[in-house]
mmCIF file of all heavy atoms in Angstrom:
data_model
loop_
_atom_site.group_PDB
_atom_site.id
_atom_site.type_symbol
_atom_site.label_atom_id
_atom_site.label_comp_id
_atom_site.label_asym_id
_atom_site.label_seq_id
_atom_site.Cartn_x
_atom_site.Cartn_y
_atom_site.Cartn_z
ATOM 1 N N HIS A 18 -99.378 109.951 -97.204
ATOM 2 C CA HIS A 18 -99.024 111.312 -96.989
ATOM 3 C C HIS A 18 -98.690 111.623 -95.461
ATOM 4 O O HIS A 18 -99.114 110.814 -94.597
ATOM 5 C CB HIS A 18 -100.088 112.320 -97.533
ATOM 6 C CG HIS A 18 -101.352 112.210 -96.946
ATOM 7 N ND1 HIS A 18 -101.839 112.599 -95.691
ATOM 8 C CD2 HIS A 18 -102.567 111.558 -97.472
ATOM 9 C CE1 HIS A 18 -103.076 112.327 -95.528
ATOM 10 N NE2 HIS A 18 -103.570 111.767 -96.531
ATOM 11 N N ASP A 22 -104.431 110.743 -92.475
ATOM 12 C CA ASP A 22 -105.762 110.610 -91.951
ATOM 13 C C ASP A 22 -106.426 109.182 -92.048
ATOM 14 O O ASP A 22 -105.714 108.287 -92.520
ATOM 15 C CB ASP A 22 -106.772 111.610 -92.608
ATOM 16 C CG ASP A 22 -106.746 111.409 -94.129
ATOM 17 O OD1 ASP A 22 -106.219 110.476 -94.614
ATOM 18 O OD2 ASP A 22 -107.373 112.363 -94.772
ATOM 19 N N ARG A 90 -96.218 115.125 -100.984
ATOM 20 C CA ARG A 90 -96.754 115.108 -99.695
ATOM 21 C C ARG A 90 -96.278 113.872 -98.962
ATOM 22 O O ARG A 90 -96.803 113.640 -97.838
ATOM 23 C CB ARG A 90 -98.196 115.213 -99.539
ATOM 24 C CG ARG A 90 -98.797 116.486 -99.971
ATOM 25 C CD ARG A 90 -100.315 116.623 -99.777
ATOM 26 N NE ARG A 90 -100.612 116.754 -98.288
ATOM 27 C CZ ARG A 90 -101.740 116.336 -97.775
ATOM 28 N NH1 ARG A 90 -102.662 115.638 -98.529
ATOM 29 N NH2 ARG A 90 -102.103 116.444 -96.611
ATOM 30 N N HIS A 110 -107.858 112.667 -104.985
ATOM 31 C CA HIS A 110 -107.807 114.114 -104.838
ATOM 32 C C HIS A 110 -107.859 114.853 -106.135
ATOM 33 O O HIS A 110 -106.927 114.679 -106.959
ATOM 34 C CB HIS A 110 -106.633 114.552 -104.023
ATOM 35 C CG HIS A 110 -106.697 114.124 -102.558
ATOM 36 N ND1 HIS A 110 -106.240 113.034 -102.020
ATOM 37 C CD2 HIS A 110 -107.310 114.834 -101.496
ATOM 38 C CE1 HIS A 110 -106.506 112.931 -100.669
ATOM 39 N NE2 HIS A 110 -107.227 114.062 -100.370
ATOM 40 N N SER A 112 -107.007 117.792 -106.725
ATOM 41 C CA SER A 112 -105.857 118.598 -106.803
ATOM 42 C C SER A 112 -104.532 117.832 -107.191
ATOM 43 O O SER A 112 -103.527 118.548 -107.411
ATOM 44 C CB SER A 112 -105.638 119.325 -105.532
ATOM 45 O OG SER A 112 -105.557 118.502 -104.463
ATOM 46 N N LYS A 266 -101.121 125.348 -90.093
ATOM 47 C CA LYS A 266 -101.771 124.476 -90.805
ATOM 48 C C LYS A 266 -103.282 124.743 -90.953
ATOM 49 O O LYS A 266 -103.835 125.040 -90.005
ATOM 50 C CB LYS A 266 -101.597 122.996 -90.189
ATOM 51 C CG LYS A 266 -102.333 121.960 -90.942
ATOM 52 C CD LYS A 266 -101.559 121.483 -92.321
ATOM 53 C CE LYS A 266 -102.261 120.555 -93.091
ATOM 54 N NZ LYS A 266 -102.653 120.861 -94.312
ATOM 55 N N SER A 268 -107.181 123.979 -92.216
ATOM 56 C CA SER A 268 -108.072 123.084 -92.699
ATOM 57 C C SER A 268 -109.373 123.861 -93.118
ATOM 58 O O SER A 268 -109.888 124.732 -92.318
ATOM 59 C CB SER A 268 -108.497 122.046 -91.619
ATOM 60 O OG SER A 268 -107.717 121.012 -91.547
ATOM 61 N N MET A 269 -109.923 123.473 -94.305
ATOM 62 C CA MET A 269 -111.172 124.183 -94.650
ATOM 63 C C MET A 269 -112.217 123.163 -94.983
ATOM 64 O O MET A 269 -112.012 122.051 -95.460
ATOM 65 C CB MET A 269 -110.914 125.053 -95.849
ATOM 66 C CG MET A 269 -110.033 126.356 -95.512
ATOM 67 S SD MET A 269 -109.803 127.343 -96.933
ATOM 68 C CE MET A 269 -108.525 126.425 -97.794
ATOM 69 N N ARG A 270 -113.488 123.549 -94.696
ATOM 70 C CA ARG A 270 -114.663 122.676 -95.043
ATOM 71 C C ARG A 270 -115.663 123.649 -95.696
ATOM 72 O O ARG A 270 -115.881 124.797 -95.250
ATOM 73 C CB ARG A 270 -115.251 121.996 -93.763
ATOM 74 C CG ARG A 270 -114.268 121.053 -93.176
ATOM 75 C CD ARG A 270 -114.035 119.769 -94.032
ATOM 76 N NE ARG A 270 -113.202 118.857 -93.295
ATOM 77 C CZ ARG A 270 -111.859 118.788 -93.271
ATOM 78 N NH1 ARG A 270 -111.168 119.737 -93.959
ATOM 79 N NH2 ARG A 270 -111.268 117.896 -92.761
ATOM 80 N N GLY A 285 -100.472 126.594 -102.276
ATOM 81 C CA GLY A 285 -99.710 125.299 -102.325
ATOM 82 C C GLY A 285 -100.234 124.095 -101.710
ATOM 83 O O GLY A 285 -99.607 123.074 -101.621
ATOM 84 N N GLY A 286 -101.581 124.202 -101.308
ATOM 85 C CA GLY A 286 -102.212 123.030 -100.821
ATOM 86 C C GLY A 286 -103.179 122.304 -101.760
ATOM 87 O O GLY A 286 -102.972 122.434 -102.973
ATOM 88 N N GLY A 287 -104.091 121.610 -101.253
ATOM 89 C CA GLY A 287 -105.073 120.926 -102.179
ATOM 90 C C GLY A 287 -106.134 120.188 -101.233
ATOM 91 O O GLY A 287 -106.257 120.447 -100.189
ATOM 92 N N GLY A 288 -106.775 119.282 -102.000
ATOM 93 C CA GLY A 288 -107.783 118.508 -101.387
ATOM 94 C C GLY A 288 -109.002 118.388 -102.275
ATOM 95 O O GLY A 288 -108.931 118.113 -103.499
ATOM 96 N N HIS A 289 -110.287 118.405 -101.673
ATOM 97 C CA HIS A 289 -111.423 118.303 -102.427
ATOM 98 C C HIS A 289 -112.239 119.488 -102.327
ATOM 99 O O HIS A 289 -111.974 120.529 -101.578
ATOM 100 C CB HIS A 289 -112.263 117.132 -101.696
ATOM 101 C CG HIS A 289 -111.448 115.925 -101.511
ATOM 102 N ND1 HIS A 289 -111.123 115.081 -102.445
ATOM 103 C CD2 HIS A 289 -110.959 115.449 -100.386
ATOM 104 C CE1 HIS A 289 -110.367 113.986 -101.993
ATOM 105 N NE2 HIS A 289 -110.256 114.303 -100.595
ATOM 106 N N ALA A 292 -113.463 119.784 -98.872
ATOM 107 C CA ALA A 292 -112.531 119.556 -97.648
ATOM 108 C C ALA A 292 -111.193 119.807 -98.203
ATOM 109 O O ALA A 292 -110.734 119.062 -99.098
ATOM 110 C CB ALA A 292 -112.773 118.187 -97.135
ATOM 111 N N ALA A 293 -110.448 120.790 -97.748
ATOM 112 C CA ALA A 293 -109.120 120.993 -98.348
ATOM 113 C C ALA A 293 -108.273 121.597 -97.268
ATOM 114 O O ALA A 293 -108.639 122.066 -96.158
ATOM 115 C CB ALA A 293 -109.254 121.854 -99.567
ATOM 116 N N GLY A 294 -106.966 121.674 -97.515
ATOM 117 C CA GLY A 294 -105.965 122.171 -96.534
ATOM 118 C C GLY A 294 -104.774 122.781 -97.260
ATOM 119 O O GLY A 294 -104.335 122.419 -98.313
ATOM 120 N N CYS A 295 -103.973 123.446 -96.454
ATOM 121 C CA CYS A 295 -102.577 123.925 -96.948
ATOM 122 C C CYS A 295 -101.941 124.400 -95.600
ATOM 123 O O CYS A 295 -102.384 124.438 -94.542
ATOM 124 C CB CYS A 295 -102.859 125.176 -97.894
ATOM 125 S SG CYS A 295 -103.856 126.527 -97.272
ATOM 126 N N THR A 296 -100.709 124.879 -95.887
ATOM 127 C CA THR A 296 -99.911 125.362 -94.790
ATOM 128 C C THR A 296 -99.611 126.875 -95.115
ATOM 129 O O THR A 296 -99.251 127.103 -96.430
ATOM 130 C CB THR A 296 -98.619 124.648 -94.634
ATOM 131 O OG1 THR A 296 -98.915 123.219 -94.247
ATOM 132 C CG2 THR A 296 -97.663 125.330 -93.646
HETATM 133 P P1 5GP B 1 -107.710 118.159 -93.471
HETATM 134 O O1 5GP B 1 -108.348 119.474 -93.348
HETATM 135 O O2 5GP B 1 -108.678 117.078 -92.835
HETATM 136 O O3 5GP B 1 -106.258 118.143 -92.999
HETATM 137 O O4 5GP B 1 -107.655 117.911 -95.035
HETATM 138 C C1 5GP B 1 -108.725 117.912 -95.896
HETATM 139 C C2 5GP B 1 -108.399 117.417 -97.382
HETATM 140 O O5 5GP B 1 -107.421 118.205 -97.882
HETATM 141 C C3 5GP B 1 -107.680 115.988 -97.264
HETATM 142 O O6 5GP B 1 -108.171 115.344 -98.438
HETATM 143 C C4 5GP B 1 -106.301 116.242 -97.347
HETATM 144 O O7 5GP B 1 -105.568 115.179 -98.052
HETATM 145 C C5 5GP B 1 -106.167 117.514 -98.082
HETATM 146 N N1 5GP B 1 -105.153 118.425 -97.696
HETATM 147 C C6 5GP B 1 -104.955 118.871 -96.403
HETATM 148 N N2 5GP B 1 -103.817 119.607 -96.349
HETATM 149 C C7 5GP B 1 -103.219 119.572 -97.577
HETATM 150 C C8 5GP B 1 -102.042 119.997 -98.077
HETATM 151 O O8 5GP B 1 -101.248 120.846 -97.499
HETATM 152 N N3 5GP B 1 -101.772 119.933 -99.450
HETATM 153 C C9 5GP B 1 -102.560 119.054 -100.234
HETATM 154 N N4 5GP B 1 -102.307 118.749 -101.503
HETATM 155 N N5 5GP B 1 -103.772 118.569 -99.620
HETATM 156 C C10 5GP B 1 -104.034 118.838 -98.469
#
Side-chain angles (χ1 to χ4, degrees):
H18 57 78
D22 57 7
R90 289 187 74 210
H110 287 92
S112 53
K266 176 76 188 120
S268 277
M269 289 182 281
R270 296 291 183 273
H289 311 283
C295 56
T296 297

